[in-house]
């Protein structure tokens, strides 16, 4: 197992090991366009539309768009039905304070194999983010300022202890059950149980428990050790690799890659078409929207979040593993991302809270604007209103920093009807209890979701991985 050497080795490119890789900020120096993101405009349905498509893909996030692209390129007739009036799902390129922002998934890396391959395929570049100038971390006597090197190095050293042994139990990180024998008991552990097991000092505990709690959806007792440990393993079992995964965003915004995939494959796309019912009758699926419009196909790829599966009526019912996953949920139900436009006497800072402390658990500096600085931030507090300036100011001050808020924008993914949760984070027992059956198709019904990937589950890379798999599965079945 790695030791703290790797933490100090990262000092030159200070970490943004923040939340969901979601966080770290970009900088004034980067070249991301400030213009509004390109909006995908589906072609009008043509008269030549088939009475029965080969495949209907439900959901136009990364998983669904990938599956549709693959199937189109194999020559199948594909219809995508998307509930929202935009593509992208839990990725959402938007603008705020005149800058391009992401309200959902953001950070990618070329070594994440599936997204890396797609970025190369379409010639989309990555933009690195810049390091904060100072950091605030919780300590037993309240928030304290550290140099970025010191704060992040200390946190990395604690993580390295927590994930000790993951090079054995996740020997092959893209085959999560390869050492199922070692995972049998470990998968029962919550992150809280692991923190308690470690005998950490109060100082060490406070360096990480804000993150373990927020990844888990608010409490470290809810998230599985094996979820965070698998991300760590996928990052190369060390702190340097972990930091790298939080460093780059797509120069086009996340929507740029989706547009490239759709433009290449040209499936038929219907936006604002929430699916209410998916019914198999004989050898044909009939997929009906909430507005009562029915489309038919030989097979279906279900590419909506696992937390949404229960909102659709299936005939026949979902297979057992998917029924269990739908009842348990995988996306964290309290996940909120917000953007804060602010001025601060403390300059460009990173701030992290403690479990149960400030409603904002992570705050990451982003672009400079003409009047201030943009920060992205994360919360899992259901009582917190990310658009309330007074609440945001108070929450930031609990982290030890002072800001003058110029504007706020937020997305509560848990109360969004078409995601019912934010990033995927498995609960104890879900890896060994649900996998691999949750990835297996039913009767010509395949499941695509970043929530149930083998590798980067909870990431854009995992969504692409699952879309590739579902396309293969359905092609073999229809
Ligand atoms: C706040 C946040 C930060 C994140 N940060 C990162 C990050 O930095 N890096 C990273 O790689 N990943 C990150 N992720 C995770 C990443 O965004 C997701 O794993 C990925 O986008 C999931 O893609 P998907 O296609 O599986 O699901 P989704 O993107 O949720 O797509 C599902 C689609 O189905 C549609 N849908 C839902 N119900 C219906 C219905 N009834 N009928 C028709 N359509 C329907 C939805 O509208 C949506 O478009 C983050 C996620 C969140 C929420």
């Amino acid at each position: 197992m790695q030791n703290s050497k790797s933490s100090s080795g990262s000092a030159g490119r200070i970490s943004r090991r923040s939340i969901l890789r979601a966080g770290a900020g970009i900088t004034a120096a980067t070249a991301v366009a400030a213009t509004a993101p390109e909006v995908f405009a589906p072609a009008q349905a043509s008269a030549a539309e088939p009475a029965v498509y080969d495949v209907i893909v439900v959901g136009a996030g990364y998983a669904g768009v990938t599956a549709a692209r693959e199937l189109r390129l194999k020559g199948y007739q594909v219809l995508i039905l998307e509930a929202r009036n935009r593509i992208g799902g839990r990725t959402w390129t938007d603008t705020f304070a005149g800058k391009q922002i992401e309200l959902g998934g953001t950070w990618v890396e070329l070594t994440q194999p599936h997204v890396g391959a797609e970025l190369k395929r379409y010639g989309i570049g990555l933009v690195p983010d810049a390091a904060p100038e100072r950091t605030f971390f919780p300590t037993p006597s309240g928030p304290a300022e550290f140099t970025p090197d010191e704060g992040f190095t200390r946190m990395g050293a604690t993580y390295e202890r927590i994930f000790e042994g993951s090079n054995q139990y996740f020997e092959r990180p893209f085959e999560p059950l390869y050492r199922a024998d070692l995972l049998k008991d470990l998968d029962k552990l919550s992150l809280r149980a692991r923190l308690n097991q470690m005998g950490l000092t109060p100082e060490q505990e406070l360096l990480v428990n804000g993150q373990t709690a927020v990844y888990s959806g608010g409490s470290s007792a809810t998230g599985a050790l094996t979820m965070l440990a698998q991300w760590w393993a996928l990052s190369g079992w060390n702190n340097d690799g972990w930091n790298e995964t939080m460093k780059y965003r797509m120069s086009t915004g996340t929507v740029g890659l989706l547009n490239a995939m759709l433009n290449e494959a040209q499936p038929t796309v219907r936006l604002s078409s929430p699916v209410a019912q998916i019914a198999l009758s004989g050898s044909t699926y009939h997929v009906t929207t909430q507005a009562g419009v029915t489309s038919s196909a030989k097979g279906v790829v279900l590419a909506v979040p696992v937390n949404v599966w229960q909102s659709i009526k299936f005939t026949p019912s979902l297979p057992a593993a998917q029924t269990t996953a739908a009842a348990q949920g995988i996306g964290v139900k309290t996940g909120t991302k917000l953007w804060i436009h602010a001025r601060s006497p403390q300059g460009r800072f990173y701030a992290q809270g403690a479990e149960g402390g400030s409603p904002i658990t992570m705050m990451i500096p982003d672009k400079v604007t003409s009047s201030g600085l943009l920060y992205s931030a994360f919360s899992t507090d259901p009582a917190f209103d990310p658009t309330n300036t007074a609440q945001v100011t108070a929450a930031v001050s609990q982290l030890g920093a002072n800001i003058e808020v110029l504007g706020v924008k937020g997305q509560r993914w848990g109360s969004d009807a078409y995601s019912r949760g934010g990033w995927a984070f498995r609960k104890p027992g879900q890896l060994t209890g649900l996998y691999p059956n949750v990835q297996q198709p039913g009767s010509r019904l395949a499941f695509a979701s970043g929530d149930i990937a083998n590798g980067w589950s909870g990431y854009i890379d995992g969504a692409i991985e699952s879309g590739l798999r579902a396309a293969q599965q359905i092609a073999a079945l229809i």
Side-chain angles (χ1 to χ4, degrees):
M1 185 53 203
Q2 308 295 317
N3 57 31
S4 57
K5 186 171 171 292
S6 60
S7 292
S8 47
S10 66
R13 41 199 160 87
I14 292 310
S15 44
R16 329 107 183 138
R17 73 195 61 238
S18 57
I19 215 147
L20 309 178
R21 294 62 210 306
I26 214 159
T27 126
T30 56
V32 170
T35 51
E38 190 185 341
V39 176
F40 174 74
Q44 295 298 312
S46 78
E49 199 178 326
V52 179
Y53 283 88
D54 292 315
V55 181
I56 293 175
V57 175
V58 183
Y62 264 94
V65 168
T66 302
R69 193 272 315 271
E70 290 296 292
L71 289 161
R72 279 292 299 138
L73 296 187
K74 286 183 206 290
Y76 293 105
Q77 289 185 302
V78 178
L79 169 66
I80 303 182
L81 294 174
E82 165 55 47
R84 305 174 202 262
N85 63 1
R86 63 171 181 85
I87 60 170
R90 281 173 284 174
T91 60
W92 186 355
T93 309
D94 200 358
T95 52
F96 177 51
K99 302 288 178 184
Q100 184 186 85
I101 61 163
E102 300 284 351
L103 284 164
T106 307
W107 268 222
V108 292
E109 235 258 290
L110 286 176
T111 56
Q112 293 177 327
H114 304 98
V115 71
E118 298 296 338
L119 293 167
K120 279 188 203 132
R121 176 180 182 138
Y122 296 109
I124 293 174
L126 294 181
V127 182
D129 59 330
E133 297 162 333
R134 54 179 73 190
T135 65
F136 297 94
F137 281 93
T139 72
S141 54
E145 186 178 333
F146 297 88
T147 66
D149 189 12
E150 190 185 8
F152 289 127
T153 298
R154 283 168 170 230
M155 186 166 70
T158 307
Y159 270 140
E160 280 167 356
R161 282 190 58 201
I162 292 168
F163 302 129
E164 200 168 335
S166 60
N167 54 348
Q168 289 157 32
Y169 61 84
F170 283 129
E171 184 183 337
R172 296 187 185 180
F174 284 93
E175 294 175 54
L177 294 181
Y178 178 67
R179 292 304 309 267
D181 56 327
L182 298 180
L183 290 169
K184 197 165 150 282
D185 291 328
L186 265 182
D187 192 39
K188 294 178 188 151
L189 283 189
S190 67
L191 280 161
R192 166 52 50 209
R194 179 63 174 160
L195 293 179
N196 292 348
Q197 215 176 54
M198 303 296 302
L200 300 174
T201 64
E203 284 82 1
Q204 290 169 329
E205 159 92 27
L206 284 167
L207 282 168
V208 294
N209 72 10
Q211 285 202 354
T212 55
V214 80
Y215 279 123
S216 302
S219 162
S220 303
T222 317
L225 165 69
T226 56
M227 184 83 193
L228 204 49
Q230 191 188 357
W231 290 351
W232 179 264
L234 288 160
S235 309
W237 302 277
N238 66 65
N239 201 38
D240 282 353
W242 176 246
N243 292 336
E244 281 299 297
T245 63
M246 301 170 228
K247 195 170 177 183
Y248 300 100
R249 65 177 65 194
M250 297 179 205
S251 60
T252 55
T254 53
V255 76
L257 175 53
L258 290 167
N259 282 333
M261 293 164 106
L262 289 173
N263 286 336
E264 179 183 7
Q266 298 288 323
T268 304
V269 181
R270 287 199 201 125
L271 300 179
S272 305
S273 302
V275 166
Q277 191 171 323
I278 299 175
L280 180 61
S281 165
S283 57
T284 306
Y285 267 102
H286 301 291
V287 179
T288 306
T289 64
Q290 285 173 11
V293 178
T294 298
S295 309
S296 302
K298 294 177 200 160
V300 171
V301 172
L302 184 69
V304 306
V306 169
N307 289 12
V308 171
W309 289 353
Q310 280 189 326
S311 69
I312 298 174
K313 184 172 188 300
F314 294 91
T315 310
S317 308
L318 288 177
Q322 283 84 3
T323 302
T324 306
Q328 294 177 348
I330 297 183
V332 303
K333 298 213 166 106
T334 48
T336 292
K337 181 168 179 178
L338 62 148
W339 284 85
I340 306 168
H341 187 205
R343 271 195 285 261
S344 169
Q346 288 149 323
R348 196 172 70 221
F349 62 83
Y350 167 91
Q352 185 176 309
E355 180 165 9
S358 167
I360 292 179
T361 321
M362 196 86 57
M363 182 164 170
I364 301 122
D366 201 292
K367 303 177 186 70
V368 174
T369 69
S370 54
S371 47
L373 190 65
L374 282 178
Y375 288 86
S376 64
F378 294 86
S379 175
T380 47
D381 182 343
F384 176 63
D385 179 355
T387 61
N388 181 309
T389 300
Q391 285 190 30
V392 170
T393 308
V396 174
S397 124
Q398 279 182 263
L399 297 175
N402 294 313
I403 55 169
E404 179 197 346
V405 175
L406 303 172
V408 285
K409 185 164 195 169
Q411 170 67 0
R412 295 166 118 148
W413 290 98
S415 34
D416 177 324
Y418 301 125
S419 59
R420 297 187 173 199
W423 51 91
F425 205 88
R426 291 187 302 261
K427 301 171 185 64
Q430 283 192 316
L431 175 60
T432 49
L434 296 176
Y435 282 55
N437 290 347
V438 75
Q439 301 166 333
Q440 298 310 308
S443 325
R444 283 180 284 121
L445 173 65
F447 300 90
S449 169
D451 303 345
I452 53 168
N454 274 329
W456 287 101
S457 198
Y459 284 80
I460 292 167
D461 191 80
I464 296 171
E465 177 213 298
S466 76
L468 295 172
R469 178 169 42 253
Q472 277 185 350
Q473 289 171 334
I474 207 73
L477 290 171
I478 59 172

